[in-house]
Amino acid sequence: MINKSQVLTFVPTNNQQPPLKSNQKHGFHVKNLDVTPSPSSDSSSILMYKTRHNTPYTRYSLSLLLFFRLLKPHHKTQQKKNISVNVKEEFFFNTESLDMKKAEFTLDSVRDSLIRQEDTIVFCLIERAKYPLNSPAYNQSYVSIPGFSGSSLVEYIVKQTETLQATAGRYENPEEHAFFPDNLPRSLVPSYNYSQVLHTAANSININKMIWDMYCNQLLPLFVAEGNDGNYASTASSDLDCLQALSRRIHYGKFVAEVKFRDAPRDYEPAIRAKDRDALMKLLTFEKVEETVRRRVEKKAMVFGQEVNLDNDNSKGKYKVDPSVVSRLYVEWVMPLTKLVQVEYLLRRLD
Ligand SMILES: C=C(O[C@@H]1C=C(C(=O)O)C=C[C@H]1O)C(=O)O
């Protein structure tokens, strides 16, 4: 009989795996499955399984057969008894978080993360664009919630979510920054050993007030329809997703600056000592990269935001979020604010 402590280990079946790309990682996660065991299954059942695209199908099918045999009750009258089995499954993924890349902190790996974050930002904007502006959600006199006087519904939802997420450890991660950081509760979860690549002065940099102002007062009216459909809570929740994605991207400038400084400390040190913001801005700016980013996010807005249907494609040119607005968002706000974070970080780098 299988007992609770048994683990079905899915292991690679050969060594001829294609090399991982630089932004891919390889690992295992453990899934907990409820199965009804067969008494004939012996305790040494180990299934061979391979998740990569070069899976040998014969081995794969055999594995599945074995697996389903384990799931099959052996006798009709047998009382169904669910047993928890841990399945360790090999997986591959593109890492978005820098922490998954502990071993390779390079300008390329940091830029890979920024590229992946573009997807998140574009999808968040698409989700927000489902709703019209819904201006009451931003109006501080529309709601009067005990303990939150003077807060709009969006502020209320952001504050409450941040409070909850702080207890779950969100702000222990150096990549995360709260919009209302004062008086947040302590994390209640075991601490994770995040890689400490940043200078401690990084903790003093939080430009979320500027991001909030840019998002609510300048960006929103550019990509949502005017009007009001009453979905204020969902709207506020979508806003929170957008704000968090933008904040994470922009504050990622700290990591970009750190890696640039490490690559060329002698170039940066004189400008840092002279507190010369303009010189720092010049040193850290790569116009060609910015142009590539601008074109790529515009294209992502076209690809992710197009209507998909199976008939003749008559939806060309219709996008859920105007691609030129996404390009403008990056050129006017996201990239300049990311560079501002870089300058602020570098100015403190030798403290
Ligand atoms: C982030 C970087 O620094 C600057 C800011 C960029 C951005 O925000 O996308 C792009 C290029 C640089 O001018 C970088 O060099 O990758």
Side-chain angles (χ1 to χ4, degrees):
M1 282 286 268
I2 291 181
N3 62 46
K4 274 198 181 214
S5 62
Q6 280 180 280
V7 171
L8 304 180
T9 311
F10 288 152
V11 295
T13 54
N14 67 33
N15 296 324
Q16 293 158 5
Q17 297 174 5
L20 296 177
K21 289 188 200 147
S22 69
N23 65 340
Q24 281 189 318
K25 289 284 172 218
H26 165 207
F28 295 94
H29 61 223
V30 175
K31 274 186 186 167
N32 200 271
L33 298 184
D34 277 346
V35 301
T36 305
S38 151
S40 60
S41 313
D42 76 53
S43 61
S44 62
S45 294
I46 291 180
L47 304 184
M48 307 296 279
Y49 180 85
K50 193 155 186 325
T51 54
R52 300 289 291 277
H53 48 80
N54 61 345
T55 301
Y57 286 106
T58 46
R59 294 291 280 277
Y60 182 72
S61 321
L62 184 67
S63 304
L64 284 178
L65 272 175
L66 270 165
F67 186 55
F68 283 115
R69 186 161 155 58
L70 280 174
L71 295 175
K72 209 178 99 193
H74 77 290
H75 195 278
K76 271 188 187 162
T77 57
Q78 184 196 26
Q79 206 191 355
K80 193 169 183 286
K81 216 189 209 174
N82 279 342
I83 287 189
S84 216
V85 176
N86 288 329
V87 176
K88 200 173 168 200
E89 183 182 357
E90 195 184 15
F91 68 103
F92 300 86
F93 54 91
N94 289 332
T95 52
E96 180 176 0
S97 156
L98 179 78
D99 206 64
M100 306 300 282
K101 297 168 178 260
K102 267 183 192 165
E104 36 158 335
F105 180 56
T106 63
L107 190 52
D108 279 349
S109 69
V110 169
R111 283 181 174 157
D112 280 349
S113 172
L114 294 179
I115 292 171
R116 180 64 183 82
Q117 290 181 54
E118 290 165 3
D119 303 3
T120 311
I121 291 172
V122 173
F123 280 121
C124 285
L125 298 179
I126 288 172
E127 279 308 288
R128 175 59 185 88
K130 277 196 310 201
Y131 308 106
L133 184 58
N134 281 333
S135 57
Y138 310 89
N139 184 342
Q140 293 178 337
S141 51
Y142 174 72
V143 282
S144 162
I145 298 166
F148 292 88
S149 62
S151 293
S152 66
L153 193 65
V154 173
E155 285 166 334
Y156 170 68
I157 286 192
V158 173
K159 281 179 189 166
Q160 290 286 62
T161 308
E162 288 190 339
T163 300
L164 173 71
Q165 293 189 344
T167 63
R170 183 176 185 120
Y171 302 107
E172 303 295 299
N173 183 343
E175 296 174 22
E176 298 286 353
H177 299 76
F179 283 85
F180 299 96
D182 297 336
N183 307 319
L184 279 179
R186 283 188 328 120
S187 168
L188 302 176
V189 301
S191 56
Y192 175 78
N193 188 21
Y194 289 107
S195 50
Q196 301 296 328
V197 294
L198 298 180
H199 187 287
T200 48
N203 296 333
S204 65
I205 303 167
N206 180 336
I207 64 162
N208 273 343
K209 278 198 175 81
M210 292 170 85
I211 296 172
W212 182 287
D213 179 63
M214 173 277 286
Y215 177 79
C216 292
N217 300 324
Q218 306 192 64
L219 179 64
L220 260 182
L222 297 179
F223 79 98
V224 299
E226 277 181 29
N228 187 337
D229 69 0
N231 283 307
Y232 305 143
S234 308
T235 298
S237 172
S238 288
D239 284 330
L240 172 62
D241 291 341
C242 292
L243 285 163
Q244 286 183 328
L246 288 166
S247 170
R248 190 178 179 121
R249 194 296 177 184
I250 289 166
H251 287 100
Y252 220 77
K254 296 179 186 181
F255 294 93
V256 182
E258 176 62 28
V259 78
K260 284 179 181 170
F261 177 82
R262 287 191 196 183
D263 285 350
R266 285 195 189 149
D267 293 347
Y268 284 95
E269 277 175 18
I272 295 173
R273 290 190 203 289
K275 300 193 187 325
D276 188 340
R277 291 173 165 273
D278 293 342
L280 287 172
M281 189 60 95
K282 220 169 167 188
L283 278 169
L284 61 83
T285 296
F286 292 80
E287 278 168 11
K288 264 195 167 165
V289 176
E290 291 187 24
E291 178 56 13
T292 307
V293 171
R294 186 197 69 72
R295 290 179 49 216
R296 190 174 51 236
V297 294
E298 189 173 32
K299 186 165 181 184
K300 284 184 180 181
M302 288 177 184
V303 174
F304 303 160
Q306 65 190 295
E307 291 293 338
V308 177
N309 50 50
L310 299 178
D311 306 330
N312 289 342
D313 194 358
N314 52 6
S315 59
K316 269 218 161 87
K318 272 196 202 163
Y319 303 111
K320 290 167 187 147
V321 168
D322 182 350
S324 71
V325 170
V326 179
S327 144
R328 192 172 156 196
L329 162 66
Y330 266 74
V331 171
E332 288 188 24
W333 297 298
V334 172
M335 293 194 287
L337 290 175
T338 306
K339 291 200 287 183
L340 173 66
V341 168
Q342 292 185 59
V343 170
E344 292 301 325
Y345 179 81
L346 287 167
L347 286 172
R348 295 161 173 82
R349 181 60 179 74
L350 299 176
D351 286 359

